[in-house]
Structures are given as C-alpha cells and as structure tokens.
Amino acid sequence: MPTTAEDLDRKTFLYNLLVPVMNKHVEGLDQGKSMYLLFIKSETRTPSGLTARPVLTSYYKSRNFVNRPFNRFNVYTSPDETILCSDSKQSMYCQLLCGLIQRDEVLRVGAVFASAFLRAIKFLEDYWQELCSNIRTGKLSDWITDTSCRNAVMSIHRQPNLELANLIDSECGAKSWEGIVKRLWPRTKFIDVIVTGSMAQYISTLEFYSGGLPLVSTMYASSECYFGINLNPLSKPSDVSYTLLPTMAYFEFLPIEKNHEEMVQGASVQCNGDAADLNCLKEEEKLGGKTVDLVEVKLGQYYELIVTTFTGLYRYRVGDILMVTGFYNNAPQFRFIQRRNVVLSIDTDKTSEGDLLNAVTEAKLLIEPQGYLLTEYTSYADTSAIPGHYVLFWELKFRGNTDISMLDSSIMENCCHKVEESLDFVYRRLRSRDKSVGPLEIRVVKHGAFDALMDFFVSQGSSVNQYKTPRCIKSEKAIEILNSMVVRSFFCTKDPFLEPKIGSQAI
C-alpha cells in the first residue's frame, strides 16, 4: 500500500485523538506509564527501489514516532531503541525486562493485536527465570548483543533489585498463571489490544491471564487506511463499535443482505489483469447494488466498506463487512462483523477459501502417485496453544492395496510444507521469520468422517440438498466430531520460503 509523509501525519492525528478519549473514561493515566509491546519487522525493496515494509514498521521508523513530543498521558516503559530493534527476540526480552523493572509505574499494558500480547505472555513463561536473574544481579544477558538496545536497557536497569526478583519469582513460579497480568502489574487499569474480528478468538485466553482487567479495542485500522476510533473503549469486546473519521479517507458502503453471504463470497471483480483479491471496484452492478455514502447508511444494515484514500487507492474494497449500530451525534458507528472471504487467520494472516483451495490442490498432487486420493477436506485455526496454527482435516481414498497404515510420513510432511509454500507472503513471513504462526498440521480422518460432519450440520438445520462441506469450521462440536475420527497426524517440519514474488500482491 502506498504511503506518504502526509499520510503519516494523518495517522498521528488519530493516535493523538485516542488520548482524550481514554482520559474521558479512565482517570489518572498521567500518573504512570504504558507497557506497550511494539515491534518492527523486516523490509524489502520493490524493483524500482522503494522500501516495502509492514505499515506499523513504517510508522515506528518515521519522524512522527521517533521525534514525537513528550506526552505525560502516553509514556512508554519501552525505550525506543528496544522497539526499533530488528531482532524480535532481543526486542521482546528487553521490553519485558523494562516493563518488569518499572512495574510499579505501569497503568496499562498492551500490544497492537491480542495475538501479539499473548505471544509476549508465552515468552514470559519461557524466560521469566532468566529475567529474574537479570533483575537480581543488575546485569543483562550476554545474548542481548544489539548495542543500542543494550545501552537503553542499562540506562534503566542500573542496579540489582533482590526484592523485585523474589516477587516475580514467586508469582511466575506459582502453580497457575491465572490473573498473572494483574499480579505482576498491580496498578494496571486495562489491557489495550484489538480483540475484534479474527482477534476475538483470543478473548477467553486473555481473560484468563488478565485478572478481570477490561479488554480495550481503541481503534479500527488496516494497512490500506486508518478508519476510526472506539468512543466507548470500556465496552465489552462483543459490543465494540467504531466511529469512522471522515477526514481519514472517502468512505463508501455497499449494502449487504444479512442472510445472503453469497453476495459477499461471489462478488468477483477483475482488475489490472488479475483477481487482485477482489479489491478493485470497477462496476457497481458487479457488486449486486449501488454504494451509499457515509451520511446515507441506515441503522442495523450491513455494508461492505470501500475507500478512496489520499495515497492513491481508488474505490478500494477493504474486505470488511460492517453493521451500523448507532450514531454519535450524526456520525454513524459500525461494528466489525467479518472479513469477506477469509476462512483462516491466526495473526495478521488472512487466508481465503480460494487461497486454501489452491494450496491443497498443489499439495494433493504429492500423494496421488502413492495411490491416495483426497476426497474431502476442511480446516480450522487452532489457537489453543501459542502460537496458533492451521489445522487441515483430510479424508483419503485408497486405491489398490494401499491403506492408511502405509501412508508415508515424509510425503505427508511434504504435503504440509507444500500447503505452506503455496500460501501468501504474509503467512510465510509470520511462519518463517516472526514465528507468530506455528507449523501447519494435517490430520487424516477415517472414512465416513465427513459424512458424520454433514449429519451434524443437517441436525443443526442445514438443508441436505444444499449442503456443501465448509472449508473452515468454527463449531467446537464439529471440530470434536472430526478430532474423534483422526487416525494420523502430520506437521510441517521446515519453514516455508520467505522471499516475496516480485510484482505479487504481497509487495
């Protein structure tokens, strides 16, 4: 997505607007600090020499962030040098160490996404003893080799603190980590993370660790554009609505019938010679209806969001389905309902049904020479552990004298790898470099498993005549049915290749 200096100023304006909104609902935020865990990611270059990098990395490296004026309502425990450290492991360790050393000053904790905050908790589970040792001795582990990062930490970590080390040791060494956030940072008033959309799957895990702290989603944004803010930040995650700011972009809305998801799934538009992820809007009639402006939306109606941005995106289909929940004065407020055509997501990855089909189609070619045919498949995003990972259920038909016991493990592991290599650059980056998505898993189920799945959905009201196997399942009961019929399981044993394809949408 193109970006400009002016666009960075616009994003800064939105970030600054969050401060008075939070102050309206939470008192005393100027009496302490924020432990926000922020990170940068890798960069590449386009064929013309322009820098290509994730949108947040672009912001954190800009003058808007690095040279931001002091604001007593928004002081971080993490020095900028730890945020801008390119080594994510060193960055995470140093930011957590600084947050623990300043625990008595911390009034709010958070990260951009719920998944990132939970990765920090998992990191803390793995490294709390080493962190305690550093605090107890007043030293910093030798493997922290980034000079700027190390110097910044040592400016805060000046002397041993035996009392703090013993306290952390006691809390982290306890039998349960329930409420660990509140126990380690007792003055914390809320957790600031996005928990809407695909991040909603992490709410129960966050609640376990939070100790009853409110989960606050402050803003609605994407790589394409920052859209709006949550004017009622202490609302329950299920009730979060965002007010769009008309100065951020020109917004249009395509009406969507509530019970006609096929309008969302089937609106394929050709753009610039390729599918362009269905994002480029040329003819309104191809979308099933006319768009309306921001002032024309109606309460309770569902819409697909379309933006024209200051940086050159023209009538761009973001892919989000929103519902109008109310109005702030005359400004409509929207609840995020779902992503159009996204079936799997763990972190910032967005895998569509088409992406999954193409990947599975490539992978199944590896087993056909062995006498196996893939007859059915479905998937789900398993977030029961951190990091989460994609799970594919495969039902196979055996030809000749083959059977399930003869299925070659190395070939199935290659199938896992083939699926991952066929997915987009964002997924591959999260798997290979960021490690925020775990290795993909294929679970082979016994014959008749997908018949049992169909029987379940029919019992829930689906029509036998119109039933189609869902390519992603979210029902716990449906997952339980398939898991009960798993006969073998295989994981990807190597990382997918990372480099983006020149000229691809990932760039």
Side-chain angles (χ1 to χ4, degrees), residues 290-487:
K290 276 195 169 185
T291 58
V292 298
D293 292 333
L294 188 62
V295 296
E296 298 172 311
V297 298
K298 292 180 169 44
L299 184 66
Q301 175 68 52
Y302 292 77
Y303 298 94
E304 181 179 346
L305 178 62
I306 299 162
V307 298
T308 296
T309 69
F310 289 93
T311 55
L313 297 179
Y314 175 69
R315 306 194 76 203
Y316 183 95
R317 296 178 69 175
V318 176
D320 293 353
I321 306 300
L322 311 176
M323 184 185 76
V324 181
T325 57
F327 296 85
Y328 181 83
N329 295 327
N330 292 323
Q333 297 178 302
F334 298 86
R335 179 172 302 148
F336 180 94
I337 301 299
Q338 66 185 50
R339 285 281 294 179
R340 173 172 49 81
N341 200 31
V342 169
V343 295
L344 290 172
S345 180
I346 297 292
D347 193 89
T348 55
D349 49 305
K350 306 292 180 188
T351 298
S352 70
E353 185 173 332
D355 295 333
L356 184 60
L357 172 61
N358 292 336
V360 170
T361 300
E362 290 287 328
K364 72 178 184 178
L365 297 177
L366 300 178
I367 60 171
E368 289 178 357
Q370 313 302 316
Y372 298 95
L373 291 176
L374 177 64
T375 58
E376 277 289 10
Y377 73 92
T378 190
S379 64
Y380 83 102
D382 185 350
T383 57
S384 60
I386 302 297
H389 70 291
Y390 289 7
V391 175
L392 305 186
F393 292 102
W394 281 18
E395 185 172 321
L396 302 178
K397 182 178 181 180
F398 319 122
R399 294 185 298 187
N401 296 321
T402 57
D403 61 45
I404 193 67
S405 64
M406 300 171 64
L407 196 58
D408 191 306
S409 296
S410 62
I411 291 178
M412 289 304 298
E413 289 167 1
N414 285 339
C415 284
C416 295
H417 183 63
K418 191 64 175 178
V419 171
E420 291 201 314
E421 290 215 322
S422 300
L423 297 177
D424 69 13
F425 173 68
V426 174
Y427 175 88
R428 299 195 309 274
R429 188 195 72 217
L430 295 174
R431 265 281 288 122
S432 298
R433 180 168 291 161
D434 300 345
K435 305 298 183 184
S436 56
V437 175
L440 180 139
E441 178 185 6
I442 293 177
R443 298 176 187 173
V444 178
V445 296
K446 65 177 66 173
H447 180 69
F450 279 82
D451 290 336
L453 183 69
M454 181 184 71
D455 291 342
F456 166 71
F457 282 118
V458 169
S459 73
Q460 301 299 301
S462 295
S463 166
V464 175
N465 293 325
Q466 295 178 300
Y467 176 80
K468 294 183 293 185
T469 300
R471 294 311 175 200
C472 177
I473 53 176
K474 297 184 180 180
S475 162
E476 291 185 6
K477 180 62 178 176
I479 295 170
E480 181 183 329
I481 289 170
L482 291 180
N483 275 332
S484 70
M485 304 184 80
V486 172
V487 289

Side-chain angles (χ1 to χ4, degrees), residues 74-288:
N74 206 14
V75 180
Y76 297 152
T77 57
S78 299
D80 286 359
E81 292 84 354
T82 63
I83 295 172
L84 298 175
C85 176
S86 59
D87 186 312
S88 59
K89 182 179 177 181
Q90 293 189 52
S91 175
M92 178 75 82
Y93 187 91
C94 291
Q95 290 193 61
L96 284 172
L97 180 60
C98 291
L100 288 168
I101 291 170
Q102 302 171 84
R103 71 183 291 267
D104 292 332
E105 298 179 75
V106 173
L107 297 182
R108 48 185 166 175
V109 300
V112 177
F113 295 107
S115 57
F117 188 76
L118 288 175
R119 283 203 308 278
I121 297 295
K122 177 63 169 60
F123 190 95
L124 183 61
E125 287 184 290
D126 294 338
Y127 285 90
W128 67 266
Q129 291 175 313
E130 185 174 347
L131 288 162
C132 281
S133 175
N134 284 182
I135 293 171
R136 185 174 285 112
T137 60
K139 297 180 179 180
L140 184 59
S141 297
D142 291 339
W143 61 269
I144 305 298
T145 57
D146 185 287
T147 304
S148 297
C149 196
R150 190 176 186 89
N151 292 340
V153 173
M154 294 309 295
S155 69
I156 297 172
H157 183 39
R158 297 188 182 93
Q159 58 188 9
N161 190 331
L162 185 61
E163 182 181 356
L164 176 59
N166 290 339
L167 185 148
I168 296 170
D169 184 87
S170 175
E171 294 294 352
C172 293
K175 185 176 181 180
S176 172
W177 271 47
E178 184 172 3
I180 193 67
V181 174
K182 186 68 173 175
R183 285 154 47 192
L184 289 178
W185 295 279
R187 294 182 64 198
T188 302
K189 298 174 182 286
F190 59 88
I191 299 178
D192 189 346
V193 289
I194 293 175
V195 288
T196 51
S198 63
M199 293 296 125
Q201 63 190 315
Y202 298 109
I203 290 173
S204 59
T205 308
L206 282 169
E207 289 175 339
F208 174 82
Y209 289 119
S210 70
L213 293 170
L215 305 178
V216 173
S217 288
T218 57
M219 61 184 290
Y220 173 36
S222 74
S223 298
E224 297 88 343
C225 176
Y226 283 22
F227 304 123
I229 61 176
N230 180 4
L231 293 174
N232 187 20
L234 297 183
S235 58
K236 295 179 181 179
S238 58
D239 296 331
V240 169
S241 291
Y242 299 102
T243 305
L244 301 193
L245 304 181
T247 55
M248 302 305 292
Y250 180 70
F251 298 112
E252 295 177 87
F253 303 87
L254 177 70
I256 299 293
E257 293 296 327
K258 179 180 179 181
N259 295 319
H260 288 76
E261 287 82 3
E262 64 272 15
M263 291 181 64
V264 181
Q265 300 291 342
S268 180
V269 179
Q270 202 72 11
C271 175
N272 296 330
D274 57 30
D277 197 28
L278 310 183
N279 281 324
C280 193
L281 175 60
K282 279 193 172 182
E283 299 177 48
E284 290 170 349
E285 56 267 26
K286 287 186 178 180
L287 298 163

